[in-house]
């Protein structure tokens, strides 16, 4: 590891990067790797580089400590002039994170976390998740030949269990309060020597920085005015903000975008805290949304996201299932099939244009965090049409309908 520290986002206490510290032991708030103030992009061709190599100056790894990769990241930024003109903004881009090894942005943070685990000599990794993070950690654990422990809730349906099980981790359905499991896992990790790469641990946040780095490169170092991020635990949004801020410190860009923290109305603890002008996020009661990937009722980085978005003059917003489903369909009509959580940014933009929180001169990037095939149950919520015809009549049938 390079000579760097891990710092508490709230009280500033410093920790060593050579051990695993998931949270601050003084104030329990999340930690982050010390900010990079000088650095540049490594020369080379992305067909032969990994994200950890290309952005090596922005990671605490030494050479030889970033060996494991499934070629995560380097995802496309897709412009839609159609949706930009429909919604009345200057330009609109979609960062399509479904083109990652396990079809969500989680692979970026998993890659950073697994390489940290390997360089510290860990032989066991784990996570608590019933969704994309579990799939991602299971895949990278398999690839790294590490013993991989995944805790899921006992009620997880088989269509979510099997995509984790296929990588053959130690997959345990835990009967009990799912909220407690996060903290339990950290204690078990300490006792059993398992590196838990949970939702907002420092190296997961580091991985998410590369979303910001790539957007800067893809937009010729003129970042968008607005970046919209579907937010649950808050680690991804923290990473994306940190990425833009580090590029600014290093002189690679001249300004940082405004950020939108977009949640589902059915589970919007950070948005609620903002509305009530609270400094701390409280547990959201009875969460229920189609966007399961952003259904964390008590986000571990919630307080830090509140602080950061306020400092940034950013926006908090919450979207109903109908708005999310409409956005999912609209996005598909542009050729991008997102899971409901990944469509939340487009739903947020529509709402924020309507109430004029975002103006028509804005350039906007939406983070499409995960792919649509992750949650096929959403198909039932759309009126999807097909036609049927006998083969003898097919020529006429098609002709009539063109
Ligand atoms: C994990 C996830 C999110 C939320 O990211 P956080 O870091 O928990 O805020 C959003 N969308 C998808 C598809 C995810 O898998
Ligand atoms: Zn602290």
């Amino acid at each position: 590891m390079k000579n760097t520290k891990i710092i508490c986002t709230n009280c500033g206490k410093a920790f060593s990067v050579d051990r695993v510290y998931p949270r601050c032991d003084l104030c329990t708030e999340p930690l982050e790797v010390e900010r990079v103030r000088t650095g540049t992009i490594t020369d080379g061709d992305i067909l032969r580089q990994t994200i950890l190599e290309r952005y090596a100056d922005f990671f605490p790894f030494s050479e030889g400590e970033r060996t494991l990769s499934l070629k995560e990241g380097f995802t496309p930024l897709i412009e839609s002039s159609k949706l930009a003109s429909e919604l009345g903004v200057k330009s609109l881009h979609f960062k399509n994170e479904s083109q990652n090894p396990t079809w969500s942005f989680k692979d970026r943070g998993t890659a950073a976390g697994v390489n940290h685990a390997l360089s510290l000599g860990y032989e066991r990794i784990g996570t608590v998740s019933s969704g994309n993070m579990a799939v991602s950690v299971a895949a990278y654990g398999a690839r790294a030949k590490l013993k991989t422990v995944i805790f899921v809730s006992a009620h997880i349906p088989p269509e979510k269990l099997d995509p984790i099980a296929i990588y053959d981790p130690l997959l345990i359905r835990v009967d009990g309060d799912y909220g407690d499991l996060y903290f339990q896992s950290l204690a078990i990790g300490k006792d059993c020597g398992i590196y838990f790469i949970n939702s907002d641990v420092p190296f997961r946040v580091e991985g998410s920085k590369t979303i910001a780095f790539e957007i800067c490169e893809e937009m010729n170092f003129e970042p968008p005015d607005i970046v919209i991020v579907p937010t649950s635990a808050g680690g991804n949004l923290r990473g994306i903000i940190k990425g833009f801020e580090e590029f600014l410190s290093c002189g690679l860009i001249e300004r940082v975008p405004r950020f939108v923290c977009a949640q589902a109305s059915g589970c919007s603890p950070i948005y609620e805290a903002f509305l009530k002008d609270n400094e701390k996020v409280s547990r959201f009661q009875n969460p229920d949304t189609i966007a399961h990937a952003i259904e964390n009722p008590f986000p571990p980085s919630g307080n830090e996201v509140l602080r950061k978005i306020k400092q940034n003059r950013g926006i908090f917003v919450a979207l109903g299932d109908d708005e999310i489903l409409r956005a999912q369909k609209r996005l598909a009509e542009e050729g991008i099939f997102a899971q409901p959580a990944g469509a939340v940014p487009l739903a947020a933009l529509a709402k924020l244009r309507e109430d004029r929180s975002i103006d028509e001169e804005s350039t906007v990037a939406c983070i499409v965090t995960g792919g649509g095939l992750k949650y096929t149950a959403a198909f039932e919520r759309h009126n999807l049409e097909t036609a049927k015809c006998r083969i003898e009549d097919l020529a006429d049938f098609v002709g009539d309908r063109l």
Side-chain angles (χ1 to χ4, degrees):
M1 287 283 135
K2 293 179 191 165
N3 182 20
T4 183
K5 292 243 163 340
I6 294 191
I7 313 280
C8 176
T9 52
N10 180 48
C11 76
K13 181 175 172 184
F15 298 80
S16 162
V17 77
D18 294 325
R19 283 186 55 193
V20 177
Y21 295 101
R23 302 189 77 79
C24 180
D25 58 2
L26 282 185
C27 73
T28 73
E29 282 294 285
L31 306 176
E32 68 175 28
V33 178
E34 201 174 347
R35 282 165 183 258
V36 174
R37 297 185 198 282
T38 52
T40 188
I41 298 165
T42 311
D43 284 339
D45 172 355
I46 63 164
L47 290 174
R48 276 177 286 263
Q49 275 175 319
T50 68
I51 51 171
L52 297 184
E53 288 164 353
R54 186 167 184 81
Y55 305 115
D57 283 0
F58 300 86
F59 283 92
F61 301 114
S62 309
E63 230 181 314
E65 284 178 335
R66 43 171 188 260
T67 49
L68 190 93
S69 172
L70 286 166
K71 289 292 303 233
E72 54 290 328
F74 300 137
T75 59
L77 186 71
I78 309 289
E79 183 165 12
S80 171
S81 43
K82 172 174 173 270
L83 288 171
S85 80
E86 284 177 17
L87 293 166
V89 289
K90 195 164 163 194
S91 73
L92 177 54
H93 288 84
F94 295 96
K95 183 71 169 154
N96 189 0
E97 289 298 297
S98 69
Q99 288 183 234
N100 268 298
T102 72
W103 315 283
S104 86
F105 79 88
K106 294 289 195 304
D107 295 332
R108 298 173 185 269
T110 306
V114 171
N115 282 297
H116 190 219
L118 289 171
S119 52
L120 300 187
Y122 275 82
E123 288 168 2
R124 300 168 188 149
I125 58 168
T127 199
V128 179
S129 158
S130 301
N132 292 334
M133 196 158 51
V135 175
S136 180
V137 170
Y140 281 76
R143 176 77 185 174
K145 304 284 174 289
L146 295 169
K147 185 88 198 165
T148 305
V149 185
I150 313 275
F151 297 151
V152 300
S153 101
H155 326 289
I156 174 176
E159 71 264 24
K160 291 181 94 176
L161 204 57
D162 294 339
I164 308 169
I166 192 79
Y167 300 105
D168 210 20
L170 174 58
L171 177 54
I172 306 174
R173 296 162 61 220
V174 184
D175 223 340
D177 183 69
Y178 187 70
D180 291 344
L181 201 50
Y182 172 92
F183 294 99
Q184 275 272 337
S185 72
L186 299 183
I188 294 169
K190 214 169 169 191
D191 291 346
C192 304
I194 307 167
Y195 186 137
F196 271 90
I197 315 174
N198 286 350
S199 53
D200 66 338
V201 295
F203 277 78
R204 203 164 260 297
V205 173
E206 289 304 289
S208 283
K209 294 194 310 194
T210 57
I211 294 177
F213 297 163
E214 290 172 21
I215 291 174
C216 291
E217 290 208 66
E218 287 162 319
M219 298 185 76
N220 270 321
F221 301 93
E222 281 184 27
D225 300 318
I226 309 272
V227 174
I228 311 178
V229 186
T231 303
S232 188
N236 192 35
L237 180 51
R238 283 178 50 212
I240 292 170
I241 298 175
K242 189 170 188 260
F244 281 109
E245 289 179 348
E246 289 185 354
F247 262 26
L248 181 73
S249 301
C250 295
L252 291 165
I253 54 173
E254 282 168 7
R255 59 186 176 79
V256 161
R258 288 174 75 203
F259 298 96
V260 178
C261 166
Q263 298 205 285
S265 316
C267 184
S268 52
I270 304 175
Y271 175 70
E272 293 296 321
F274 164 75
L275 285 186
K276 294 181 186 140
D277 207 20
N278 293 342
E279 267 172 39
K280 292 225 150 104
V281 173
S282 329
R283 181 180 288 274
F284 193 92
Q285 300 303 326
N286 308 315
D288 179 21
T289 168
I290 184 128
H292 295 296
I294 53 169
E295 205 173 18
N296 187 328
F298 196 38
S301 280
N303 301 335
E304 170 65 0
V305 166
L306 259 182
R307 287 191 287 268
K308 270 305 219 185
I309 296 289
K310 286 184 191 166
Q311 269 172 25
N312 167 265
R313 297 183 310 109
I315 302 172
F316 299 89
V317 65
L319 292 310
D321 281 7
D322 289 350
E323 294 168 290
I324 295 168
L325 286 162
R326 209 174 312 134
Q328 185 184 36
K329 188 69 175 28
R330 257 179 133 170
L331 209 46
E333 287 166 9
E334 275 291 80
I336 300 169
F337 181 32
Q339 66 185 99
V344 162
L346 178 59
L349 178 60
K351 182 168 236 163
L352 296 172
R353 278 299 295 142
E354 223 157 77
D355 72 13
R356 299 276 177 262
S357 307
I358 291 178
D359 74 55
E360 67 221 358
E361 287 307 304
S362 305
T363 57
V364 181
C366 291
I367 313 300
V368 177
T369 43
L373 289 178
K374 288 280 190 161
Y375 188 65
T376 50
F379 286 133
E380 285 169 23
R381 304 285 299 271
H382 296 281
N383 277 323
L384 303 178
E385 287 177 15
T386 54
K388 192 170 179 232
C389 170
R390 288 166 16 148
I391 195 161
E392 308 87 276
D393 306 329
L394 196 53
D396 289 342
F397 187 90
V398 173
D400 287 349
R401 280 162 185 78
L402 293 178

